[in-house]
Amino acid sequence: MTAALVALARDGLLLALALLAPVLVATVLAGVFTSLLGAVTQVRDPSVGFAPRLVAVVVALVITAPVIAGRLEAFTTRALTAIAVVGQGST
C-alpha cells in the first residue's frame, strides 16, 4: 500500500512538471525575444521585458487550460480512488 502512495506522489510530481512545461516554454521564448529586441534597440527598461512575458504566460494558459483541466481531473480521480483503497485496507 505504501508503494501505491509513493507511485501516486511520483505521478503527481511528473504531472506538475508536464503541466508547467507549456507555460515555462512560452515564458522562456518571450524572454529570449525581448532580450534580443532589447539588445538590438538598446532599451534597458524592465517593463519592456515584463509585459511580453506576462502576455505569453496568459496566452499559454488560455491555450492549454482544457488540457490542464482534463489531466488534473483524471489525476484527482485516480488519487481519490487510491486513497480510498489504502484507507479500506488499513481497517
Side-chain angles (χ1 to χ4, degrees):
M1 291 187 201
T2 305
L5 292 177
V6 170
L8 184 64
R10 185 194 71 225
D11 289 345
L13 290 173
L14 291 175
L15 178 66
L17 289 174
L19 297 181
L20 177 69
V23 176
L24 184 63
V25 168
T27 305
V28 168
L29 289 177
V32 167
F33 175 73
T34 55
S35 295
L36 290 174
L37 184 65
V40 169
T41 61
Q42 296 192 2
V43 174
R44 302 226 189 299
D45 188 19
S47 63
V48 172
F50 178 74
R53 281 185 293 212
L54 180 64
V55 170
V57 168
V58 169
V59 168
L61 284 175
V62 166
I63 291 172
T64 60
V67 175
I68 290 172
R71 291 189 67 183
L72 279 176
E73 180 184 9
F75 176 75
T76 303
T77 303
R78 281 186 309 172
L80 292 176
T81 303
I83 291 170
V85 168
V86 169
Q88 288 175 354
S90 64
T91 58

